[in-house]
Each structure stands twice: as C-alpha cells, then as structure tokens.
Amino acid sequence: MNTEKPLFFDTSDGQNLRINTISTYLKRHFGRKIVKLSIDGGFTCPNRDGSRGTGGCAFCSSAGSGEMAAGTGEIYLDLESQINLIRGKWPQAGYIAYFQSHTNTYAPVEVLREKFEAALRHPDVIGIAIATRPDCLPDDVLDYLAELNSRTFMWVELGLQTIHPATQQTMNLCYTTEDYDMAAERLMSRGIRVVTHLILGLPGETEEDMMASVSHVCCRHVFGMKLHMFNLVKGSPLAVTCSDYVSFETMDEYIDLVIKAIEIIPPDITLHRISGDAPRPILIAPEWSYMKRTLLNNIHKTMKYRNTWQGRLTEPR
C-alpha cells in the first residue's frame, strides 16, 4: 500500500468516500437527497430505423439498454408512479427525470419539448438527464437544450463506449470518435453538462485500449463519466455472434481494472456509474454482474486497502 494522504469526497456517516459520485455531488449541490428516475420516452434510434444502420449497436438489447426504465407513454404518470413507490423512504428527496432508453434527442424539437416539459411539470422533479448518441444533436435540438439548461438542472449523456475505430465498426456503432468530440464541444460551448458513457471489456479490446478511451474523455473536461462493464445480454446481436464471450471472468479482475481507471480520472469529474448490471432474466455473462451491491462494496474496500482514490495519478487542473 502507498502511504500518501487519501482524498475523501464525502465523510458524512463515517464513510470516507474516495470517489466523486454523482449522488455526493447532487447532495452537496441541492442540500438534500436527489434520486434519478429512469424513463422510457418512446424514442427509437438511427441505428435501428435504417437512417444510419440497422440492428442497433451489437451490445444493445431490444429495449435499447433501458430495461430499468418506466415507459407507458405518459411521462408525468410514469414519474408519479415511481415517486410514490419511494416517497416513504426519502420524503424530502428531489428527483431527476432520466430519459434513458434508445436515443432521446432523435425526434423533432416539438416532440422533445412535449416529452421533456411533461417531466419538468412534476413538482418534485428538479432536473432532467438526457441520454443520446453524439450524431443526433442538430442545431435546433442544441438550441432547445440550451434553453432547457438555462431554466433547470440538466446534463446530456453521450454514448461513446470506445474511441477505437475497429471496435466501433465491430460493435456497429455507426458513429465515430470525431462525432463524439464535436458533440461534446458543441454542448459544453453552450454551458451544458456532458456525461460520457464508456464500456469496459468490449470484445477485442486490451487494458491499454480501455485506458486510452478513459484518458480521451478526461481530456475533454466533461462533467461526468459512466464506466460500465460489458454485459452479454439476450436479445443483442452479440448474443448470437459471440454467445460464449465473457468480458471479465471474475469480479476481482473487473475491480482491478476499474480502480486503475478511477485513479486516472480527475477528481472534479463526477462518476455516475462504476459498474453495470443487467436484469437477471436477460443476463448471459458475466454471471456475477447482477451482484451490484457486492461489487460496489468490494470496489470501495479495495480502494481503502490500497489507499487510493479518484484522480490519484492525475495532475491538478
């Protein structure tokens, strides 16, 4: 173990948290518990309808990686039903409406406005998070997002997954690293927070490849990052073409890699996810990835044992 003095991001309740989690940031920013509620806005994807490709990204399930999202088509009522389920646990909480499934800027502005404004009409919703692709941000959409950002707390989540062209092609992403760089710059130039999603353990990628993707995103000065181990799930193209692929054989293997990534992420970047679980009925591999609480506890325990923390290997900026 090293003998450096660790950096703690949250010392409440004696937890000495060594990661700048989004929950810690939101608690500090709003002065209370903030809960993110996943919503299916009924969008599709240009990689499914033929405008950019067909079949979707190779790792993506038929639900557009939004199995946890509520989606009856009534945005306000979907939020209300989720809030009613957890209001007793956190009676003073605020909520962020997270449009998760598929590509949530892939529609005319008037459609986006209808859906996003419906979410913000709920009195307990204090902000909005919008997941999208980097190639689905035309000027009129960016203008509307800038307007939205001026009157509510917001971030836009960009799915990058990897910076490596060979993997992008194999995964049928139908967008490039250059598309991501331009989208991130255009959003941030309008003052919009950007959260970037990366998948660790994509087929064919080495540890060096994955760390290069993490470093690339860190250089963009984004607001947040999501690190997600690759889950092979039923209903995805890879479940057919790579049915025996396992991204990480053991939990310890993933923990070691994700801690190496966390150490090179600057401490001012919020971490929105450091694992990635899939519903057990559709999960193929890794078979342990549904054990989210065990995984997170072991990451924190290992960081404490190694006396390391987010940004330990970065230069101040």
Side-chain angles (χ1 to χ4, degrees):
M1 293 195 304
N2 72 68
T3 58
E4 297 176 75
K5 185 177 180 180
L7 176 61
F8 297 132
F9 296 89
D10 189 352
T11 57
S12 63
D13 304 319
Q15 60 184 329
N16 292 335
L17 192 65
R18 296 162 182 258
I19 300 171
N20 185 18
T21 67
I22 184 58
S23 59
T24 296
Y25 174 91
L26 292 173
K27 182 171 65 175
R28 191 164 55 237
H29 185 81
F30 289 100
R32 57 176 170 148
K33 175 76 174 177
I34 303 297
V35 180
K36 188 174 66 174
L37 302 175
S38 295
I39 294 293
D40 185 341
F43 296 98
T44 183
C45 175
N47 200 8
R48 290 178 181 269
D49 67 7
S51 65
R52 292 299 299 266
T54 57
C57 299
F59 47 73
C60 204
S61 67
S62 58
S65 297
E67 286 79 12
M68 307 297 189
T72 67
E74 296 290 338
I75 303 298
Y76 189 100
L77 294 179
D78 288 341
L79 287 166
E80 179 69 8
S81 64
Q82 291 192 67
I83 291 171
N84 285 338
L85 288 174
I86 59 178
R87 184 175 273 129
K89 184 176 182 180
W90 296 301
Q92 304 302 319
Y95 299 91
I96 287 178
Y98 174 38
F99 285 81
Q100 178 182 20
S101 305
H102 298 295
T103 304
N104 294 276
T105 59
Y106 187 51
V109 169
E110 56 268 25
V111 175
L112 303 184
R113 186 181 295 275
E114 176 187 357
K115 294 178 183 291
F116 298 161
E117 302 295 340
L120 291 172
R121 279 197 295 272
H122 195 288
D124 294 326
V125 170
I126 54 82
I128 189 169
I130 301 164
T132 190
R133 290 165 54 97
D135 58 349
C136 290
L137 291 165
D139 288 341
D140 60 341
V141 169
L142 283 168
D143 290 342
Y144 171 56
L145 293 178
E147 175 206 324
L148 203 57
N149 187 61
S150 70
R151 52 189 171 87
T152 192
F153 184 87
M154 188 181 82
W155 70 73
V156 172
E157 182 178 316
L158 293 177
L160 172 58
Q161 322 310 355
T162 176
I163 64 168
H164 303 288
T167 312
Q168 291 167 349
Q169 183 174 1
T170 302
M171 293 300 104
N172 194 40
L173 299 186
C174 297
Y175 58 78
T176 66
T177 304
E178 290 71 24
D179 291 329
Y180 163 79
D181 290 344
M182 182 179 299
E185 176 59 34
R186 295 177 77 202
L187 286 163
M188 290 189 290
S189 70
R190 289 167 167 81
I192 298 171
R193 299 173 185 86
V194 171
V195 175
T196 303
H197 190 288
L198 292 175
I199 297 179
L200 304 177
L202 288 167
E205 292 209 342
T206 65
E207 179 178 312
E208 182 180 23
D209 292 333
M210 291 179 258
M211 292 301 123
S213 292
V214 173
S215 295
H216 183 91
V217 175
C218 291
C219 291
R220 303 274 131 1
H221 299 283
V222 295
F223 168 68
M225 291 178 66
K226 279 188 172 182
L227 302 177
H228 189 309
M229 92 275 289
F230 171 80
N231 286 315
L232 185 64
V233 296
K234 297 174 184 177
S236 67
L238 281 175
V240 176
T241 60
C242 297
S243 60
D244 60 348
Y245 178 72
V246 181
S247 55
F248 297 93
E249 293 287 348
T250 67
M251 187 180 293
D252 286 344
E253 182 185 356
Y254 178 75
I255 289 171
D256 183 65
L257 178 74
V258 79
I259 289 176
K260 289 177 180 176
I262 290 169
E263 288 179 321
I264 65 171
I265 297 174
D268 60 318
I269 292 179
T270 55
L271 290 183
H272 295 232
R273 178 172 286 181
I274 55 174
S275 66
D277 52 331
R280 292 188 72 178
I282 68 168
L283 176 66
I284 300 174
E287 60 181 13
W288 47 263
S289 75
Y290 73 91
M291 302 168 63
K292 182 177 180 179
R293 181 50 54 193
T294 299
L295 174 58
L296 292 175
N297 286 341
N298 287 344
I299 290 172
H300 293 303
K301 287 178 182 177
T302 304
M303 293 185 73
K304 180 180 179 180
Y305 175 77
R306 296 182 184 178
N307 193 33
T308 193
W309 57 90
Q310 181 180 331
R312 185 177 72 85
L313 301 181
T314 63
E315 294 293 330
R317 65 177 193 176

